[in-house]
Amino acid sequence: MTAAAYEPGKLEPEIQKRWEKSGIFCTPPLPGREKFYVLAMFPYPSGQLHMGHVRNYTIVDAIARYQRMRGKTVLHPMGWDAFGLPAENAALKNGTAPATWTFSNIDHMRGQLQRLGFSYDWSREIATCTPEYYKWEQWLFLKLWEKGLVYQKSGTVNWDPVDQTVLANEQVVDGRGWRSGAMVERREIRQWFLRITAYADELLEGLDTLEGQWPAQVLTMQRNWIGRSAGAEIHFPLASGDGIVKIFTTRPDTLMGVTYLAVAPEHPLSAGVAAGSADVAGFIERCRHTAVSEATVESQAKEGVPLGISVRHPITGEALPVWAANFVLMNYGEGAIMGVPAHDQRDFEFARQYGLPIHAVIRNSNGEEHPEVLEQAYTGTGTLIHSGRFDGMSSEEAKGAITTALQSCGLGNKTVNYRLRDWGISRQRYWGTPIPMIHCSHCGIVPVPEKDLPVLLPTHYELHDPRSPLLDDSAFFEVPCPNCERTARRETDTMDTFVESSWYYARFACPDASQMLDERAAA
Ligand code: ANZ
Ligand code: ZN
């Protein structure tokens, strides 16, 4: 007997048709049996599946089939992460509209996935660039706005001069934009933010409940990502005139060893001095050409300029010079530091380079005195020395005592900082979810009324340059203010595509729901 030859070209389309007819992979919205959700990350519709997709989706499909065989009701959906820059770049190159390019890619890739025979419930397919999907994102944005969890702020960002948009720190690789490869610049622009830092402590506490369930190194990474840092905010009064410079420190115990202050190049003090000083202006300009991420800042040589301003030490009243320095980040803490070169390595290198004094105020735990000339900073804790009335205290005691002393004269407070940043979600590009906000010169920022959702993204443009066509289309941006009916301007920024990919997993449970999520189906 000879075995019949397996001819996939004949057999598979036949079987696949039967699967489709009988709806065998369709999942009921409220199954009675034990449920199992198998989710693979949905793909970006770039045009063609590649072997990476095939590998990944095959593994996940095997899991889905296995769980079905075990008698579970399996939800195994598929969809498209369909907004984003590549559609615009391809459209620029080929002279098509991004929507046309995207939908034709989706059709092609859907066909490829179907020929591979994956057991998806295609009745749940979603594409994030459709108003049926992004309408709910806009709705959520309005809800977050009502709760004070959305705000607009101008800040220093990584600007990709080729792609003409803002990049997250994770999208900057070795100082270059992840897609364009162009050297990233710092720019000051207004952006929309989601206040995720309001949840920092809750997120941290949540990690404790995952102890033993998640790999330890993932938990550590998450904790470091949130980066809770307890310390103090300290105020240094300007030596002449009114005003203070605020700094954040985790080591208030080293306050008596401060020999200078350093502020970020983007700090208002630097900008103020730059107006009258070519040296300072030149320094700020040089710093503008490097990315804002901590990693970049860590790796570069420490550089700075004196601002010609002095502040008073909050306890001794001694005058201390203020510098602008490239290792101080504007968007961490207060954008300014107190320089304690004897006990912080960066401050030490900076002081060495510019001949600033170095005063040791912590004796290490071996009880050794510091030599007159230090080779490097002693960054550990210990016992206070050369610190007046705080002498003899341990670092721990001194942190409390010094913070209390500052509090009582109104020059400092205990504070907590997080490395976690609020999420800057605005992008200056076209192919994304329009942010449902209106700028009225009379009323300020006015949210689009819920009944006017979705704010439809026009799909007819052909692109000729990277500039967003929304900026030049008055039919899009000229709108009456919902409040006073005067002519106002619709927001032309769109949302980062990571906003779409942060909730699709839940929408798959109820892709046709007439609200963002159907709680019963998604439970
Ligand atoms: C004085 C000092 C003395 C510091 C000392 C350290 C050791 P984490 O733990 O990461 O929160 N810092 C504060 N704001 C900064 C900014 N915007 N850019 C760069 N550095 C900044 O680190 C907190 C420490 O990082 C702070 O404590 C400050 O240096 C620095 F012996 O203040 B420290
Ligand atoms: Zn108005």
Side-chain angles (χ1 to χ4, degrees):
M1 236 177 94
T2 55
Y6 181 66
E7 293 181 63
K10 252 195 209 156
L11 191 63
E12 292 191 6
E14 175 57 33
I15 297 291
Q16 285 166 13
K17 224 174 283 157
R18 280 200 223 166
W19 289 345
E20 198 195 321
K21 251 206 208 125
S22 62
I24 190 169
F25 300 125
C26 287
T27 319
L30 301 168
R33 277 183 299 174
E34 193 182 343
K35 298 180 284 187
F36 198 91
Y37 188 0
V38 183
L39 179 74
M41 196 190 283
F42 64 173
Y44 180 77
S46 53
Q48 297 278 344
L49 288 188
H50 52 67
M51 281 317 286
H53 289 122
V54 177
R55 175 178 187 269
N56 192 35
Y57 294 140
T58 301
I59 295 168
V60 175
D61 191 57
I63 297 171
R65 287 171 184 273
Y66 169 69
Q67 293 296 345
R68 273 192 210 98
M69 286 167 157
R70 298 187 64 195
K72 296 185 189 166
T73 300
V74 170
L75 171 58
H76 188 29
M78 188 36 77
W80 312 98
D81 192 6
F83 271 139
L85 257 188
E88 279 178 70
N89 293 342
L92 263 175
K93 217 163 89 190
N94 312 326
T96 51
T100 316
W101 183 84
T102 303
F103 283 111
S104 91
N105 287 349
I106 287 178
D107 285 341
H108 183 75
M109 290 169 73
R110 186 194 303 106
Q112 292 184 303
L113 287 174
Q114 285 171 340
R115 280 200 300 287
L116 283 160
F118 294 140
S119 61
Y120 297 129
D121 178 353
W122 284 107
S123 70
R124 291 171 184 266
E125 179 181 354
I126 51 187
T128 57
C129 64
T130 58
E132 294 75 34
Y133 186 84
Y134 68 67
K135 169 182 176 174
W136 298 113
E137 206 161 293
Q138 294 174 336
W139 177 85
L140 180 68
F141 189 93
L142 296 179
K143 293 294 150 198
L144 294 174
W145 169 263
E146 283 167 22
K147 295 231 182 285
L149 293 168
V150 163
Y151 64 97
Q152 203 189 23
K153 171 187 94 173
S154 91
T156 318
V157 297
N158 300 306
W159 178 258
D160 185 320
V162 169
D163 276 346
Q164 299 223 347
T165 193
V166 165
L167 301 175
N169 285 339
E170 299 74 49
Q171 294 169 331
V172 178
V173 182
D174 296 334
R176 294 174 186 274
W178 67 327
R179 290 197 184 281
S180 71
M183 286 306 291
V184 161
E185 296 172 6
R186 294 187 197 188
R187 269 210 194 173
E188 183 79 13
I189 63 172
R190 285 190 83 73
Q191 292 238 89
W192 291 97
F193 289 87
L194 302 188
R195 206 182 293 281
I196 59 176
T197 51
Y199 297 88
D201 275 326
E202 205 176 311
L203 285 167
L204 263 181
E205 285 159 22
L207 287 174
D208 295 340
T209 68
L210 293 170
E211 208 70 65
Q213 296 177 52
W214 280 22
Q217 68 274 33
V218 175
L219 290 175
T220 303
M221 261 164 59
Q222 292 284 322
R223 289 199 179 100
N224 290 344
W225 181 255
I226 297 166
R228 185 177 196 277
S229 178
E233 165 195 307
I234 302 181
H235 305 180
F236 290 78
L238 289 175
S240 58
D242 290 336
I244 49 161
V245 182
K246 282 191 200 175
I247 64 97
F248 170 70
T249 179
T250 46
R251 297 290 306 269
D253 54 315
T254 64
L255 179 62
M256 307 308 270
V258 177
T259 58
Y260 62 94
L261 251 52
V263 302
E266 303 85 357
H267 193 281
L269 262 190
S270 319
V273 175
S277 155
D279 273 1
V280 175
F283 174 71
I284 295 174
E285 181 57 26
R286 280 201 304 288
C287 293
R288 240 171 42 78
H289 292 284
T290 53
V292 293
S293 85
E294 220 175 313
T296 313
V297 168
E298 276 302 323
S299 64
Q300 68 200 356
K302 313 221 164 356
E303 265 188 66
V305 294
L307 292 179
I309 295 176
S310 308
V311 290
R312 299 227 163 269
H313 190 283
I315 299 221
T316 65
E318 185 196 349
L320 303 166
V322 183
W323 287 62
N326 66 348
F327 66 89
V328 183
L329 301 162
M330 189 56 214
N331 52 14
Y332 187 66
E334 301 295 337
I337 61 143
M338 60 182 204
V340 187
H343 303 294
D344 180 280
Q345 190 57 27
R346 288 181 308 182
D347 297 351
F348 178 82
E349 288 167 25
F350 192 78
R352 269 291 178 81
Q353 182 162 336
Y354 293 106
L356 293 160
I358 301 176
H359 293 327
V361 290
I362 307 287
R363 186 195 298 141
N364 73 22
S365 44
N366 300 336
E368 294 159 9
E369 278 285 349
H370 276 291
E372 264 321 289
V373 182
L374 294 174
E375 288 310 315
Q376 56 177 27
Y378 169 64
T379 58
T381 50
T383 308
L384 268 71
I385 51 171
H386 310 310
S387 294
R389 58 183 147 124
F390 306 106
D391 275 355
M393 289 185 184
S394 70
S395 288
E396 262 341 287
E397 279 172 89
K399 280 181 186 175
I402 291 179
T403 310
T404 309
L406 291 169
Q407 252 161 355
S408 64
C409 55
L411 291 175
N413 267 309
K414 262 181 150 168
T415 46
V416 174
N417 261 293
Y418 298 91
R419 188 141 274 113
L420 183 71
R421 298 268 71 95
D422 279 339
W423 184 8
I425 57 143
S426 31
R427 295 294 177 269
Q428 294 64 44
R429 294 301 295 261
Y430 149 67
W431 188 236
T433 300
I435 292 175
M437 289 292 188
I438 292 169
H439 303 270
C440 171
S441 52
H442 197 245
C443 314
I445 294 172
V446 184
V448 170
E450 218 173 296
K451 64 171 175 39
D452 295 345
L453 295 184
V455 176
L456 285 175
L457 183 72
T459 53
H460 62 274
Y461 307 125
E462 278 182 18
L463 304 185
H464 303 290
D465 59 53
R467 180 182 161 83
S468 168
L470 297 176
L471 289 167
D472 304 314
D473 183 0
S474 59
F476 177 78
F477 67 69
E478 226 175 81
V479 284
C481 166
N483 213 13
C484 70
E485 286 169 19
R486 290 185 176 84
T487 302
R489 192 177 167 98
R490 189 186 286 295
E491 176 61 64
T492 50
D493 278 0
T494 55
M495 293 190 213
D496 180 0
T497 58
F498 288 103
V499 181
E500 280 93 67
S501 49
S502 64
W503 69 284
Y504 71 103
Y505 69 95
R507 183 73 184 174
F508 271 140
C510 47
D512 304 317
S514 57
Q515 352 153 22
M516 186 173 191
L517 294 174
D518 173 341
E519 237 178 273
R520 282 205 323 145

